Amino acid sequence: YEQFISYEEADGYDRYAYLFGYLYSELTEKDALDRQIRRFIKRYPTEYERYYNYEKAIWSNLELFPVAESINNPSETVAFEDSWMQSRTFGGDRGHEGCDIMASFNVRGHYPIFSVCYGVVEKIGWLPQGGYRIGVRGSNGAYFYYAHLYDYAKDFVPGDKVVTGELLGFMGDSGYSEIEGTVGNFAVHLHFGIYLNDENGEEFSVNSYAPLKYLETRKKKCIF
């Protein structure tokens, strides 16, 4: 993504066009991507606009990693891998719609969770699968989902505006139960998901691994 930012030209394609071109063709060299993008726009203009807007909705809102880095306890880190669509069974066989950011210090309520972007709180409260969760709609339409929280930073309500780096809550292990407040069914972690709406208004999950890798060097440093 940072490479594609460097390709931008005032009278040419922008970073989201190059990102689309890469995902479509797996090419990375600028001239080759230029040719692929031109060819796709000529043949499939409607589809190009749709997928371009998907990429822009996600990447234009990414500013900060959702979990803080500890100044005073640097050994208390987090780690994640590409777990999108791995098998899950609670609530029925399904694919994992996000990436789990795991805590090396397995204590609920310890790691602060921040908003990755500016946006509006759309959903909040208990879900059997996600436990205490909060969902923020970014300014360009992507929905960012933070689940298994221990607690919220304040009494958010749908419609509240949040800014990049605003404290949303604290990492936990809530969920996997119809009974609100259930904890302890898995290790402490943050489930981070990204969702978009298609041309029919139907929501679909997007793999959040690459966005998290991009944000990994953009952490808020805090004392905790």
Side-chain angles (χ1 to χ4, degrees):
Y1 180 66
E2 290 174 334
Q3 182 178 349
F4 301 147
I5 291 173
S6 72
Y7 288 176
E8 288 185 321
E9 298 176 357
D11 58 348
Y13 301 119
D14 65 13
R15 65 193 70 180
Y16 313 114
Y18 285 116
L19 183 60
F20 162 77
Y22 163 71
L23 294 172
Y24 172 68
S25 66
E26 297 187 351
L27 297 169
T28 57
E29 195 271 331
K30 183 180 185 302
D31 289 343
L33 282 171
D34 284 339
R35 290 192 294 270
Q36 287 289 341
I37 294 168
R38 283 196 299 270
R39 187 178 298 120
F40 198 95
I41 291 173
K42 184 177 180 179
R43 285 185 168 184
Y44 311 107
T46 301
E47 290 80 1
Y48 170 78
E49 182 178 7
R50 180 190 310 154
Y51 288 105
Y52 170 90
N53 286 330
Y54 287 160
E55 299 304 332
K56 185 174 182 179
I58 298 168
W59 290 85
S60 64
N61 281 287
L62 297 176
E63 298 183 73
L64 187 75
F65 194 77
V67 185
E69 178 179 319
S70 178
I71 296 173
N72 52 313
N73 293 300
S75 64
E76 295 173 3
T77 58
V78 296
F80 61 95
E81 59 183 27
D82 189 353
S83 59
W84 189 68
M85 287 299 145
Q86 289 183 357
S87 177
R88 295 292 187 270
T89 57
F90 180 81
D93 291 335
R94 57 190 174 85
H96 186 228
E97 296 184 349
C99 284
D100 291 335
I101 304 174
M102 308 303 297
S104 67
F105 186 58
N106 189 42
V107 174
R108 63 180 70 104
H110 181 68
Y111 291 83
I113 305 301
F114 295 99
S115 179
V116 302
C117 66
Y118 284 83
V120 176
V121 174
E122 190 166 301
K123 296 179 182 178
I124 191 167
W126 182 265
L127 285 178
Q129 291 180 354
Y132 290 117
R133 70 35 167 124
I134 185 169
V136 175
R137 182 72 64 179
S139 58
N140 281 312
Y143 179 76
F144 299 94
Y145 173 76
Y146 311 76
H148 305 311
L149 299 180
Y150 169 71
D151 197 4
Y152 299 109
K154 64 179 184 180
D155 293 328
F156 291 104
V157 295
D160 282 349
K161 293 181 180 179
V162 298
V163 298
T164 301
E166 181 163 345
L167 182 64
L168 300 178
F170 298 88
M171 188 186 291
D173 57 348
S174 62
Y176 275 29
S177 176
E178 298 289 340
I179 301 172
E180 182 172 344
T182 297
V183 296
N185 285 327
F186 38 74
V188 171
H189 70 282
L190 173 71
H191 171 103
F192 180 73
I194 301 176
Y195 294 85
L196 295 170
N197 293 326
D198 66 17
E199 67 273 23
N200 299 314
E202 295 294 322
E203 186 178 75
F204 64 94
S205 170
V206 176
N207 191 343
S208 55
Y209 178 73
L212 285 174
K213 290 298 291 183
Y214 169 68
L215 293 173
E216 197 169 17
T217 59
R218 294 162 170 80
K219 292 179 180 177
K220 193 164 188 173
K221 293 177 172 58
C222 301
I223 295 175
F224 63 92

